[in-house]
Amino acid sequence: MERNILKVVNMHVSFKTQTGRITAVRGVSFELNKGETLAIVGESGSGKSVTAKSIMRLLPKHNSEITKGDILYEDRSLLKLSIKKMQEIRGSEISMVFQDPMTSLNPTMKVGKQIMEGLQKHQNLSKTVAHKRALEMMKLVGIPSAEARLEDYPHQFSGGMRQRVVIAMALACNPKVLIADEPTTALDVTIQAQILDLMKDLQQKMDTAIILITHDLGVVANMADRVAVMYAGKIVEQGTLDEIFYNPQHPYTLGLLQSMPKLNEDRSKPLLPILGSPPDLATLGEGCAFAARCPHTMKVCHSFTPQDTVVEDKHTVACWLQDVRTPKEYLPETVVAVNSQ
């Protein structure tokens, strides 16, 4: 059995707002193994990016707090590390690629210097060696005329090329974990495919574990080994790519898949949207957060929060429809028939 490199255990994250404290992440747990890709999917506001920034400890200090749980990297608690030690880990062992590359690049610095900066800080390389390594990374991520382009500023690159520079920066120190937060959302479809292929190629060469945060199930299908589906700050289903795509157990997961167009289906057939809107986390009470939008909602869904139920091996789902504790008289007839087979 492969040992995990990163483990998030029952993490809760809250924010102070004008209307009171809001819990944006509610009991999130998952594991990441060496060399694998875990995709975290869900609608905007489901807590995906907050989860990623919590791992990096990049949440704003003035209004946010990890109130419960732990984050273990190679069996070490990241939450117990000093700020200085955490700064040493960022970039060198755990790196992050953000959605908009311009938020990661300094517009006043040449890109070569920006790549070299991390190498000199984390690996204590000389300027000459760091320059050589930066050039290697620029070539590795497929930037033409790499040596000349080291002297260019971020605004002189296209969006796709800027994202390649950011990936080069993130992987320059050979991190063991790469967190990619919507890395291709701002790019057109052609460039998006190139960036995803680049990430897969670099992962194979460097054996880097990837946490891919996205709302695009097409990206997930091409990249992920395992998938965690988030809704309203909670992971509602988790399993391998095949388990999630071909045997979804949570109504929200099924809704996401049904709302995605498929090439092999009749294009005149309408897509099935998920009706309603995500809940207001400030007023979220007991029960299943998806209950108001779920086509199979039951009385128990509004009163008690569902816990994780093991479907098979590590395929888990938090839904009363699949919980063996749910009395049969509460279940829809179709669900009872399926469960009795």
Side-chain angles (χ1 to χ4, degrees):
M1 183 177 179
E2 191 173 9
R3 188 170 69 90
N4 56 72
I5 189 172
L6 182 72
K7 187 175 183 179
V8 176
V9 185
N10 193 31
M11 183 173 69
H12 292 68
V13 182
S14 66
F15 289 84
K16 292 180 181 177
T17 70
Q18 293 181 343
T19 57
R21 184 172 289 276
I22 293 176
T23 303
V25 171
R26 306 179 297 125
V28 164
S29 298
F30 61 82
E31 297 178 0
L32 179 70
N33 295 321
K34 184 178 180 181
E36 80 166 349
T37 299
L38 170 68
I40 302 179
V41 302
E43 294 170 282
S44 296
S46 61
K48 306 185 302 295
S49 294
V50 172
T51 298
K53 291 178 181 178
S54 298
I55 295 172
M56 297 292 288
R57 285 180 58 183
L58 290 175
L59 293 173
K61 295 180 181 178
H62 68 282
N63 70 340
S64 63
E65 182 183 6
I66 298 176
T67 57
K68 189 177 179 181
D70 207 349
I71 303 166
L72 303 175
Y73 169 68
E74 294 188 326
D75 297 327
R76 291 177 293 168
S77 173
L78 295 182
L79 301 184
K80 295 179 181 178
L81 297 182
S82 64
I83 294 176
K84 182 178 179 182
K85 187 63 180 176
M86 192 64 208
Q87 288 173 340
E88 293 174 359
I89 288 178
R90 289 192 204 111
S92 62
E93 298 185 55
I94 306 176
S95 286
M96 190 164 181
V97 175
F98 294 92
Q99 178 176 340
D100 183 0
M102 287 304 284
T103 62
S104 305
L105 296 170
N106 186 333
T108 67
M109 286 177 62
K110 296 176 180 179
V111 296
K113 187 175 181 181
Q114 295 189 56
I115 298 173
M116 291 168 58
E117 195 174 48
L119 290 164
Q120 290 175 293
K121 177 179 177 60
H122 294 297
Q123 297 190 348
N124 296 317
L125 300 182
S126 66
K127 185 176 181 180
T128 302
V129 177
H131 183 275
K132 182 180 178 181
R133 174 64 175 163
L135 178 59
E136 290 174 356
M137 291 305 303
M138 290 279 279
K139 291 179 178 177
L140 192 63
V141 297
I143 295 179
S145 306
E147 189 163 8
R149 304 232 64 183
L150 283 172
E151 300 299 313
D152 287 342
Y153 291 92
H155 73 271
Q156 294 175 278
F157 290 80
S158 66
M161 286 298 167
R162 279 198 292 264
Q163 196 64 291
R164 288 173 184 263
V165 171
V166 170
I167 292 172
M169 289 175 58
L171 296 177
C173 295
N174 297 321
K176 297 177 182 178
V177 177
L178 175 67
I179 302 174
D181 188 0
E182 304 273 11
T184 60
T185 300
L187 306 175
D188 65 57
V189 177
T190 303
I191 303 301
Q192 180 184 90
Q194 293 176 5
I195 294 297
L196 294 175
D197 287 342
L198 170 65
M199 289 178 62
K200 286 194 290 186
D201 182 53
L202 293 176
Q203 181 182 34
Q204 292 174 356
K205 290 179 179 178
M206 306 175 79
D207 201 25
T208 303
I210 296 177
I211 296 176
L212 177 64
I213 294 171
T214 183
H215 62 267
D216 189 333
L217 291 177
V219 171
V220 173
N222 290 326
M223 287 286 293
D225 299 304
R226 291 190 300 113
V227 183
V229 182
M230 284 193 75
Y231 185 79
K234 183 179 177 66
I235 292 179
V236 296
E237 186 167 3
Q238 188 170 181
T240 65
L241 180 67
D242 285 348
E243 287 169 341
I244 297 299
F245 271 67
Y246 299 112
N247 188 30
Q249 298 294 308
H250 198 283
Y252 178 63
T253 308
L254 185 60
L256 290 177
L257 293 169
Q258 289 179 334
S259 63
M260 181 178 69
K262 299 175 180 63
L263 293 176
N264 59 348
E265 288 190 354
D266 182 2
R267 294 188 180 183
S268 64
K269 183 179 178 181
L271 297 176
L272 300 175
I274 300 175
L275 301 177
S277 301
D280 182 355
L281 295 179
T283 59
L284 193 63
E286 290 296 321
C288 175
F290 189 61
R293 306 173 72 186
C294 182
H296 306 297
T297 187
M298 303 172 289
K299 185 176 180 180
V300 67
C301 301
H302 295 284
S303 305
F304 301 96
T305 303
Q307 303 302 311
D308 284 342
T309 297
V310 177
V311 179
E312 185 178 355
D313 193 17
K314 291 190 176 182
H315 184 187
T316 61
V317 60
C319 178
W320 286 114
L321 289 171
Q322 309 301 332
D323 197 314
V324 295
R325 296 171 298 171
T326 307
K328 285 189 177 182
E329 58 266 27
Y330 287 168
L331 295 172
E333 292 182 5
T334 53
V335 175
V336 175
V338 170
N339 289 347
S340 62
Q341 290 178 358

